[in-house]
């Protein structure tokens, strides 16, 4: 049910280290907001399209994944065209869609476990301040991935129970039992985790 | 944080993900479809309290960032954070925190039902709508360049749907408090 958005492949972006990709993306975001010259922004958009397609994603899948965010970009650009000038609309469109496509390219070429390893490395220094433990974050991520299918199935059971009793499936009457039934499992799951000594406490 | 708190955070994050998998509801008198996912943000604060609620929302955003399609409509990946509406996602974390803070301060188990309901409604409206918009609208305005006022004003079309969600969060928050109270033992 929960599959990552990364695409298998061996493009240059795939081989680049995760941290490098994130730093480049961050730098590109700052640079794009400093630029407002269409002579630079249009080639940048072309480059990001080429980069995204170089991941081997395929045009249809690439469009399917970015269409929602690009739609909001288009709305913002349209607002700029109407209320400001067509030039301003083009600048905003190029700037934002370049950024969106670059970010999508990083996601398409980074596996979930590789990304998670990088996150763990990034938050390990924070452990000293007592904010969060890196091991707990990975544990929580694992738990979510493990329990989403189960909670979704439980939602199906609750709405089937509604239908069996001839009741309309309303958000409120399904949500409350779903939340209570799910959170009631917390004690058992926590006990199982502690019994296995995962957190070494 | 105890193991139980981590498990509660993870389970609630999973509930928020499941709410995003449900098909959006369209109501005749509101132009935009209503997704249940932002309802999950209000509920996280109302049910788990400030710290655990915010942590649950943050965990969902972490899953989005590492490339899982867990937002409503199967959206995910870093592209979501690069788009003009990313401020609303950041606002979710602070919204859940404020929502939980208000609920922790105002709601008592021995209170009469009406004052519990009103407290939950205040928490959902201030935290789940006010704070979320406080982050979302300036961010959208900044991203949209010079037409900032118009685009920020246009995002108000989501307000009626959000008010309905606050109302549902109020009823669900109070029902969960009656059935399985977690709010009093805050982490």
């Amino acid at each position: 049910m929960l599959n990552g958005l990364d695409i298998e492949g061996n493009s240059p972006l795939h081989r680049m280290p995760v941290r490098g990709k994130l730093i480049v993306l961050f730098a590109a975001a700052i640079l794009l907001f400093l630029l407002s010259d269409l002579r630079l922004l249009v080639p940048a958009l072309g480059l990001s399209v080429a980069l995204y397609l170089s991941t081997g994603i395929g045009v249809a899948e690439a469009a399917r994944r970015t269409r929602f965010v690009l739609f909001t970009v288009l709305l913002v650009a349209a607002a700029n065209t109407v209320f400001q000038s067509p030039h301003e609309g083009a600048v905003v469109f190029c700037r934002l869609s370049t950024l969106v496509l670059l970010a999508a390219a990083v996601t398409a070429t980074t596996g979930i476990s590789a990304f998670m390893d990088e996150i763990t490395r990034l938050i390990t220094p924070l452990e000293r301040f007592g904010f969060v433990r890196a091991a707990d974050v990975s544990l929580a991520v694992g738990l979510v991935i493990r329990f989403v299918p189960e909670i979704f199935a439980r939602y199906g059971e609750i709405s089937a129970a509604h239908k069996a009793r001839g009741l309309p499936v309303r958000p409120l009457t399904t949500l409350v039992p779903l939340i209570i039934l799910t959170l009631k499992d917390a004690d058992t799951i926590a006990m199982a985790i502690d019994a296995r000594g995962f957190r070494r406490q | 944080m105890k193991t139980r708190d981590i498990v509660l955070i993870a389970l609630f994050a999973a509930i928020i993900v499941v709410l995003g998998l449900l098909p959006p509801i369209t109501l005749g008198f509101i132009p935009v479809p209503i997704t249940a996912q932002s309802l999950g943000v209000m509920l996280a604060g109302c049910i788990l309290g400030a710290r655990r609620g915010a942590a649950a929302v943050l965990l969902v955003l972490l899953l989005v960032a590492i490339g899982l399609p867990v937002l409503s409509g199967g959206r995910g990946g870093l592209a979501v954070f690069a788009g003009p509406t990313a401020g609303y996602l950041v606002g979710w974390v602070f919204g859940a925190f404020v929502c939980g803070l208000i609920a922790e301060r105002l709601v008592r188990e021995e209170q009469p039902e009406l004052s519990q309901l009103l407290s939950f409604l205040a928490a959902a409206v201030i935290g789940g709508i006010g704070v979320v918009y406080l982050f979302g609208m300036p961010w959208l305005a900044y991203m949209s360049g010079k037409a900032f006022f118009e685009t920020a004003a246009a995002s108000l079309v989501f307000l009626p749907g959000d008010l309905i969600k606050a109302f549902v969060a109020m009823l669900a928050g109070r029902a969960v408090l009656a059935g399985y109270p977690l709010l009093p033992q805050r982490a």
Side-chain angles (χ1 to χ4, degrees):
Chain A
M1 175 171 271
L2 278 184
N3 290 321
L5 292 169
D6 52 307
I7 304 269
E8 295 237 349
N10 198 24
S11 70
L13 260 184
H14 279 95
R15 292 194 298 270
M16 209 171 149
V18 183
R19 185 171 301 184
K21 277 186 271 197
L22 291 177
I23 291 171
V24 170
L25 180 63
F26 202 67
I30 294 171
L31 196 68
L32 281 166
F33 275 89
L34 295 176
L35 289 178
S36 51
D37 191 344
L38 271 183
R39 279 168 300 176
L40 291 168
L41 283 172
V42 172
L45 178 58
L47 192 70
S48 68
V49 171
L51 207 59
Y52 190 26
L53 292 178
S54 80
T55 60
I57 189 172
V59 178
E61 178 66 14
R64 197 187 63 76
R65 282 186 185 185
T66 47
R67 67 181 173 199
F68 187 87
V69 187
L70 286 183
F71 176 68
T72 57
V73 170
L74 209 59
L75 282 184
V76 167
N80 270 288
T81 310
V82 173
F83 296 110
Q84 296 291 326
S85 67
H87 177 261
E88 198 57 41
V91 166
V92 168
F93 177 77
C94 287
R95 178 189 290 152
L96 294 183
S97 40
T98 305
L99 193 56
V100 166
L101 292 174
L102 284 179
V106 172
T107 297
T109 56
T110 314
I112 289 176
S113 53
F115 211 138
M116 204 50 227
D117 288 344
E118 190 57 43
I119 299 271
T120 309
R121 246 170 278 145
L122 281 174
I123 53 182
T124 306
L126 293 179
E127 282 186 358
R128 237 174 292 156
F129 305 105
F131 281 147
V132 65
R133 291 184 14 180
D136 288 349
V137 177
S138 338
L139 173 67
V141 168
L143 282 173
V144 178
I145 295 173
R146 154 79 177 76
F147 281 103
V148 163
E150 207 162 298
I151 297 171
F152 192 62
R154 184 172 282 152
Y155 176 82
E157 283 164 24
I158 293 170
S159 58
H162 274 67
K163 283 173 193 142
R165 289 166 180 76
L167 301 170
V169 183
R170 291 220 174 89
L172 193 64
T173 53
T174 45
L175 212 54
V176 175
L178 182 71
I179 292 170
I180 292 181
L181 284 173
T182 303
L183 297 184
K184 267 190 175 161
D185 287 344
D187 292 304
T188 334
I189 300 165
M191 244 187 308
I193 291 169
D194 284 337
R196 285 165 180 79
F198 274 147
R199 298 186 67 220
R200 277 173 275 132
Q201 280 186 338
Chain B
M1 273 202 181
K2 293 195 204 124
T3 310
R4 184 166 179 268
D5 294 321
I6 294 170
V7 173
L8 282 173
I9 290 166
L11 287 178
F12 215 97
I15 291 174
I16 296 176
V17 173
V18 169
L19 289 179
L21 294 172
L22 307 180
I25 309 161
T26 33
L27 295 176
F29 53 97
I30 295 172
V32 283
I34 298 176
T35 56
Q37 202 153 39
S38 51
L39 172 63
V41 175
M42 299 174 187
L43 284 173
C46 286
I47 290 169
L48 294 183
R51 287 190 57 188
R52 291 180 297 187
V57 177
L58 199 59
L59 186 56
V60 174
L61 296 190
L62 177 66
L63 294 173
V64 174
I66 65 173
L68 286 166
V70 293
L71 289 180
S72 57
R75 289 173 297 135
L78 288 171
V80 181
F81 292 101
T85 54
Y88 290 96
L89 296 182
V90 175
W92 278 6
V93 179
F94 296 92
F97 189 84
V98 172
C99 183
L101 215 56
I102 296 171
E104 280 173 4
R105 295 288 176 282
L106 294 182
V107 178
R108 293 280 168 276
E109 272 185 274
E110 60 279 0
Q111 274 174 335
E113 192 179 340
L114 185 67
S115 44
Q116 281 182 347
L117 285 174
L118 288 177
S119 308
F120 275 127
L121 186 65
V125 170
I126 298 170
I129 301 177
V131 176
V132 172
Y133 279 51
L134 201 66
F135 281 81
M137 287 171 72
W139 192 303
L140 179 64
Y142 179 72
M143 294 288 262
S144 42
K146 285 182 182 146
F148 54 88
F149 186 72
E150 289 83 352
T151 40
S155 68
L156 286 175
V157 293
F158 291 97
L159 195 59
D162 282 343
L163 285 171
I164 293 175
K165 284 180 217 172
F167 202 71
V168 174
M170 165 190 94
L171 294 170
R174 139 91 198 147
V176 174
L177 185 75
Y180 188 64
L182 287 163
L183 192 62
Q185 11 139 350
R186 59 190 89 143

